[in-house]
Amino acid sequence: SNISNVRLELLTDGLTFDISGLNPTAGLAINHVVQSVGFDSVPDPHACEAVCITTGPHLGSGWTMLPILRSLAGLASELTGLEGCIALYWPAAACLSAPAFIRSSVTRWLDGGVFPGLGLASLILLPDGTLQSKGLALFTGQEMQVAPDLGADRTERSKLALRLLDEFVTEAPVTRTVELAGPDGSRLTLRPIERGRIVRVERV
């Protein structure tokens, strides 16, 4: 066989996943990181060799279905327990996570807990103070923006954003402006913008 195509096939939850970038082929490069979580000291991604986990070809375009993504996240997080693994990189979020952090976060999610909003998604601070998610669209088809006035500082807005990320993953896409109660009892609006690609969260 052609060693440039060396890969490993794994079966979990009745689904097959392929792992590429294994020896003797070269590891894959990580070129873009927007957020790092769970590290005492963040490793240099350019000094690492990454392997890539993808869904098997039989899944076709259905690989973005939530049950499949949950299995993929579960498999990836479990493999972070292997000796020599220093991080998990989730490309849709461009997020680099410490092994113990992402393993515990994903395990809690799969056991019925909250969505790992840091790890499987990232929160980016825009110039006007808005927080915008990156990677949520993989699970919901939409990214989310939290307006600058929702919280006294970035920490408060981040806590609100993480709560909403979990709700977005379990609910249908937001196709019209709706209202809901925030954690502090205030009224919030969820408004689709940019042709529905983004949901803007604002105070009523």
Side-chain angles (χ1 to χ4, degrees):
S1 63
N2 187 338
I3 64 170
S4 66
N5 293 322
V6 170
R7 63 182 179 85
L8 175 68
E9 184 178 86
L10 295 180
L11 177 67
T12 181
D13 299 328
L15 305 170
T16 58
F17 296 89
D18 293 340
I19 301 181
S20 57
L22 300 167
N23 285 333
T25 58
L28 306 173
I30 297 175
N31 297 316
H32 181 53
V33 176
V34 301
Q35 193 165 57
S36 301
V37 294
F39 294 99
D40 292 326
S41 178
V42 180
D44 178 5
H46 301 293
C48 304
E49 286 193 350
V51 298
C52 181
I53 307 172
T54 57
T55 53
H58 70 289
L59 293 174
S61 61
W63 72 273
T64 56
M65 296 175 61
L66 185 57
I68 296 174
L69 290 171
R70 285 171 61 92
S71 294
L72 176 60
L75 174 61
S77 64
E78 282 298 314
L79 292 179
T80 64
L82 294 176
E83 183 178 357
C85 179
I86 62 174
L88 184 145
Y89 178 71
W90 193 258
C95 186
L96 199 68
S97 300
F101 175 88
I102 194 66
R103 198 159 55 247
S104 62
S105 297
V106 170
T107 297
R108 285 195 299 270
W109 179 44
L110 298 181
D111 288 342
V114 298
F115 173 72
L118 295 178
L120 303 189
S122 294
L123 294 175
I124 302 171
L125 185 65
L126 302 183
D128 69 349
T130 294
L131 275 181
Q132 178 164 318
S133 69
K134 178 176 175 58
L136 180 66
L138 179 63
F139 297 88
T140 67
Q142 296 174 307
E143 296 294 351
M144 180 187 67
Q145 288 185 354
V146 174
D149 64 339
L150 293 181
D153 54 29
R154 181 176 178 175
T155 299
E156 285 193 11
R157 294 198 303 278
S158 295
K159 289 179 180 178
L160 172 62
L162 291 174
R163 289 190 182 189
L164 292 173
L165 287 177
D166 178 58
E167 293 187 22
F168 276 34
V169 170
T170 57
E171 300 293 335
V174 179
T175 58
R176 58 184 178 83
T177 299
V178 296
E179 291 189 12
L180 79 164
D184 61 356
S186 62
R187 300 300 299 174
L188 305 176
T189 62
L190 278 59
R191 178 169 57 91
I193 61 174
E194 296 191 17
R195 298 183 179 181
R197 294 188 304 105
I198 296 175
V199 177
R200 176 84 174 180
V201 183
E202 301 171 317
R203 197 180 305 278
V204 173

